[in-house]
Amino acid sequence: MSKCFDVAVVGGGIVGCATARALRRVVPALNVGLLEKEERVGAHQSGHNSGVVHMGLYYKPGSLKAKLCLQGAHKAFDYFKQNNIPFRRCGKLVVAVDNSEVPRLHQLYENSVTNGVPDVRLVGPEEISRIEPNCRGVEAIHSPWTSIVDWGQVTGVYAAEFTANGGTILTGFPVDSISMRPWENEQFPLRIASKRCGGEVRARYLITCGGLHSDRLSVMTGGSEQPKIIPFRGEYLVLDRSYSELIKGNIYPVPAPGGATFLGVHFTPRMDGSIWLGPNAVLAAKREGYTHSDVDLSDVTETLCYPGFLRLVSRSLGQGVEELVSSFLTGRQVKKLQRYVPSLPKHAVRKGPAGVRAQAVWGDGSLVDDFVFDNGGAAFDDRVIHVRNAPSPGATSSLAIANHLVYKMRDQFHI
């Protein structure tokens, strides 16, 4: 017999776990099920990220990212304290290393002020050196509230709270099809099936938080394939622990002009005391492709046949080649990092872990630069909400995104 839920949430990453938790808290009468294709929650983006609690510096004023990041950060700090989750407020410097970057830095600062980033300020070379003694730059933005945490641990706490409050988690349940079958079950018309486990789930309503597979889940309900997910692997370097004192907090670059594919290399302290450097951004040959040897020909074909990817490549070919070369030649990445910390020794840097970012791309080749939520095709409009794009600062924003989705569901579906 099929399991039946009032609301099924597909995707056990941090956004899915936060959303399932919020549904049980806001509407306790709902029977909520969380479906995860892996054997544990937080197995992909939620457990393979830099661990930064962002404060909303980078995002366009008025955007969902700007609004939900700051809301989410404040909610996250409260949640960490209430649940004894360790975190560290180590701050962030966004550093202009030469005068050509200063106008972009000032624009970023204006965005930060408009977005309400707390205690953000511009600092000169002497103050940069006081905050980060080994960092060099002509000017920087200082965000003292930027923090670090283990987002994988946070995801696990969300999931544990959800089940403690009566929620159900089904792991090892990769979704292969979503269909409307009211003639089979009028009360629970949505059928969510998995070939791997040979099972199905019935639901009244559905929220998908599929991360690297968000576009595919949308297509299953008659939604648009756009924006398409293009997987980019971010490969980190790790600083030898004997040199950890070189870095006190987060050091970030000024975003490149014209909207580069990713933010650029940066320095990130971790909760375990290590320092991560990077990442780069290399096209992955598999949606969960954490190494060069991870290849899925169907994923590769899907990427290469997407017009938006071809248009993105035509605009960013030089950057893409540089990222690929840097993937093999660690010294090239170290040179970029030494622009900010000249004393960084090459011999103290080694290859580290990698994550895969679900980069959403429109058909014209432009990158999706905000959170995107939509419904399915016509037959699913009053039953389904899809999270189509929630990369960084998705983890920071997770509690705010969850509330946004719950109230969106209540408004649209009147539950």
Side-chain angles (χ1 to χ4, degrees):
M1 182 179 292
S2 304
K3 289 185 178 293
C4 297
F5 298 107
D6 294 317
V7 182
V9 179
V10 173
I14 194 166
V15 173
C17 289
T19 300
R21 168 191 171 272
L23 282 164
R24 284 292 301 165
R25 286 172 60 87
V26 177
V27 193
L30 289 177
N31 180 16
V32 182
L34 176 64
L35 315 181
E36 166 54 40
K37 75 184 185 72
E38 306 297 351
E39 297 302 324
R40 61 182 177 88
V41 299
H44 292 296
Q45 291 184 106
S46 303
H48 295 79
N49 58 68
S50 61
V52 176
V53 183
H54 296 284
M55 296 306 298
L57 278 72
Y58 296 94
Y59 315 119
K60 182 179 178 181
S63 66
L64 281 172
K65 278 190 177 183
K67 174 184 175 183
L68 297 181
C69 179
L70 197 56
Q71 287 182 6
H74 291 308
K75 290 177 182 294
F77 290 138
D78 289 341
Y79 192 82
F80 301 159
K81 294 170 186 175
Q82 292 163 6
N83 291 275
N84 298 313
I85 298 172
F87 71 101
R88 184 158 67 90
R89 180 184 156 192
C90 55
K92 174 197 285 185
L93 283 176
V94 181
V95 181
V97 293
D98 59 47
N99 289 327
S100 69
E101 296 180 339
V102 169
R104 299 198 306 277
L105 183 79
H106 286 180
Q107 181 59 59
L108 189 63
Y109 173 71
E110 293 301 324
N111 285 356
S112 302
V113 173
T114 302
N115 289 344
V117 177
D119 300 327
V120 67
R121 62 195 179 105
L122 287 169
V123 297
E126 291 185 2
E127 189 72 357
I128 291 172
S129 295
R130 187 191 66 78
I131 298 167
E132 286 284 354
N134 297 293
C135 182
R136 299 293 177 266
V138 296
E139 196 170 14
I141 296 170
H142 184 222
S143 169
W145 285 92
T146 298
S147 303
I148 57 173
V149 73
D150 181 344
W151 285 118
Q153 179 185 4
V154 176
T155 303
V157 176
Y158 288 169
E161 183 183 350
F162 169 62
T163 55
N165 287 336
T168 300
I169 299 178
L170 300 180
T171 56
F173 194 101
V175 173
D176 297 299
S177 67
I178 303 169
S179 55
M180 282 285 290
R181 294 173 177 251
W183 60 89
E184 294 180 352
N185 190 324
E186 186 175 356
Q187 185 179 5
F188 300 97
L190 283 164
R191 178 180 182 267
I192 306 153
S194 174
K195 293 178 183 176
R196 183 197 295 176
C197 65
E200 68 174 43
V201 163
R202 292 283 182 159
R204 293 170 59 205
Y205 303 101
L206 173 67
I207 299 177
T208 72
C209 308
L212 285 155
H213 299 273
S214 62
D215 53 340
R216 293 171 175 172
L217 290 167
S218 176
V219 170
M220 288 180 196
T221 64
S224 172
E225 73 164 359
Q226 292 190 34
K228 171 73 76 178
I229 295 300
I230 307 297
F232 281 90
R233 183 171 58 255
E235 300 165 330
Y236 285 91
L237 303 174
V238 176
L239 185 61
D240 187 286
R241 285 183 179 270
S242 62
Y243 288 89
S244 293
E245 289 303 312
L246 276 175
I247 307 300
K248 306 298 182 186
N250 295 280
I251 303 174
Y252 275 59
V254 178
T261 308
F262 292 113
L263 191 60
V265 296
H266 43 275
F267 299 75
T268 306
R270 302 277 296 175
M271 289 302 297
D272 64 2
S274 63
I275 305 292
W276 285 12
L277 315 170
N280 58 7
V282 180
L283 180 67
K286 184 179 180 180
R287 295 241 177 161
E288 285 101 11
Y290 296 101
T291 69
H292 287 286
S293 60
D294 289 331
V295 178
D296 184 306
L297 292 180
S298 63
D299 285 353
V300 172
T301 301
E302 189 175 348
T303 295
L304 296 180
C305 291
Y306 180 53
F309 171 71
L310 301 178
R311 294 183 178 108
L312 174 64
V313 169
S314 70
R315 292 201 297 264
S316 309
L317 182 60
Q319 181 190 0
V321 170
E322 172 59 28
E323 293 291 305
L324 182 60
V325 171
S326 295
S327 174
F328 292 97
L329 302 177
T330 301
R332 293 176 78 98
Q333 278 188 273
V334 173
K335 283 185 178 179
K336 295 175 186 177
L337 292 159
Q338 286 172 335
R339 297 182 69 215
Y340 303 90
V341 180
S343 58
L344 176 69
K346 180 181 176 181
H347 66 82
V349 176
R350 59 176 174 81
K351 286 187 175 294
V356 181
R357 178 186 176 112
Q359 179 58 58
V361 180
W362 294 115
D364 63 2
S366 60
L367 305 182
V368 181
D369 62 357
D370 202 0
F371 296 141
V372 176
F373 312 108
D374 68 19
N375 299 95
F380 297 85
D381 248 0
D382 60 350
R383 297 280 177 179
V384 178
I385 296 174
H386 295 293
V387 178
R388 296 297 304 268
N389 188 57
S392 182
T396 300
S397 309
S398 56
L399 292 173
I401 290 174
N403 285 351
H404 179 85
L405 291 172
V406 170
Y407 287 105
K408 182 179 176 70
M409 173 167 274
R410 293 184 73 180
D411 289 344
Q412 287 188 207
F413 306 152
H414 309 293
I415 60 174

